Structure formats: C-alpha cells, structure tokens
Amino acid sequence: MDSFFASKEAASRALPLHATSAAGLEKFLNARSSDEARWLRAAGFRGAEGELLLLPAPNGALAGAVLGLGVGRDPLALALFSERLPPGDYVLGDVPEGDGGARAALAWALGAYEFNRYRKSSTRDRARLVLPEGVNGVAVSRAAKAVFLARDMVNTPANDMGPAEIENAARSVATAYGARISVITGQDLLKIGRAHV
C-alpha cells in the first residue's frame, strides 16, 4: 500500500475528517457534538471552499478536521486534507455522499503529490488516510501514479523533457504493464508525414 494510505488497523485510532458545503452548514453543525459545533461557530467556520479548521480535543490534542466545500463543485476538494494536515492517521467522517469512497481516496492521493526531481525526496512523515470501506486501494494508487507521471512530465522544464525523455517515459510505462510500443523517428517519420500530405 502506498505511503499516503494507512492500514485498516489504524482505523480505531485515526482522527475523523468531516466536510460540508456552505449550504449544508447548519445541518452539518446540528449533527456535531455541542462542543464541536460551538468551536466551529466560535472560529467563524462558514464552509467556504478550501476553508480548513482543525478540531481540538479536550486535552488540547488534535481531534480531527473540517473542510469547507463552498458550493461543492470540486470533485477532488478533499485533496486539501492530505496537502495541509499534520502527520498522522485519518479516517473519513461526515462528508457529502458524492465526495466519499473512491473519489475521496483518489483526492487524498492526488493531494499527496510532490515534484521532487531536482531535490531529495521528502522523508517527512505524512498524513495517511484509512481507505473507505470497499475502496480498491491498488486501483486508486494506479490512477494517482498515472496522474503523478503526467504532472512530473509537465513540471519538468523542456530542456530536461524533450522527445527522447518522453519516449523513455512511454517505454517505462509499456514495460511496467507488459504493453508493446513502437516509435517512429527521423527519416521514417518524415516519410510517413509526406505520404499523408
């Protein structure tokens, strides 16, 4: 399992993550404990898009977090959790139905992206999500890694990502998944181009 996901065993100690749209805020607050609702109101939480508020435990430790979704149009809004939360294990709590499950897991994974081609990989502890019930973590990780590859290629300056490097990236993917690849270059490419003019 990738480092951005926690084991199922971590669920019992994982901190809950909640999310609400601005329109659903009152209903959300009414479903919270009186202490949580009072804290959210006192902190001025409005459910605005990207608004993240950490929830304190009675002993001052972290008890969870709440994310505002605004009007709720961003299908990957929960990526902000993995981008901004301190290290630890987390589990989805009260989130809108359409934002949970595999979508939440993919958003979490995408939020963990780091471009580190020109620096040492981060060895810091990360925030990890306990996969929601029924979510295939391997499939989510594959999708995230495909996005990471595209992001890495886009983020790499052109002097380090020319045709040869793009070919190498395509060959690596083909090799990893047992696919065949053919590349047409040089004079062969010119001949094919002329034939279609």
Side-chain angles (χ1 to χ4, degrees):
M1 193 68 65
D2 285 296
S3 62
F4 32 80
F5 294 129
S7 67
K8 291 284 185 191
E9 293 74 38
S12 62
R13 68 178 184 280
L15 301 176
L17 302 176
H18 310 293
T20 182
S21 65
L25 180 61
E26 275 311 307
K27 181 179 177 186
F28 174 80
L29 290 173
N30 291 335
R32 310 269 51 85
S33 71
S34 60
D35 286 344
E36 273 188 15
R38 193 167 32 254
W39 170 256
L40 289 162
R41 285 188 173 102
F45 184 80
R46 298 284 178 252
E49 185 173 345
E51 184 180 12
L52 180 68
L53 187 64
L54 301 179
L55 299 171
N59 66 358
L62 182 62
V66 179
L67 177 67
L69 302 175
V71 294
R73 289 194 185 125
D74 183 354
L76 299 173
L78 272 58
L80 287 175
F81 279 136
S82 59
E83 291 174 13
R84 296 187 190 165
L85 287 174
D89 294 333
Y90 299 90
V91 65
L92 289 182
D94 188 3
V95 300
E97 187 176 326
D99 291 305
R103 180 180 286 178
L106 180 59
W108 182 277
L110 294 178
Y113 172 75
E114 293 179 324
F115 180 65
N116 51 24
R117 178 174 177 153
Y118 301 103
R119 58 188 166 103
K120 290 182 182 175
S121 293
S122 174
T123 56
R124 68 178 173 86
D125 286 339
R126 319 186 59 88
R128 293 171 304 278
L129 179 70
V130 175
L131 282 169
E133 198 62 43
V135 172
N136 182 335
V138 173
V140 170
S141 294
R142 278 190 200 131
K145 286 178 182 177
V147 173
F148 292 173
L149 173 61
R151 286 178 177 177
D152 283 349
M153 291 175 72
V154 168
N155 288 331
T156 301
N159 60 321
D160 285 337
M161 187 53 68
E165 291 80 11
I166 293 170
E167 177 186 340
N168 288 339
R171 286 188 184 283
S172 293
V173 171
T175 300
Y177 294 99
R180 284 182 286 153
I181 184 171
S182 64
V183 178
I184 302 169
T185 60
Q187 292 301 316
D188 292 336
L189 183 61
L190 292 174
K191 287 176 193 173
I192 290 171
R194 284 188 202 113
H196 293 289
V197 173

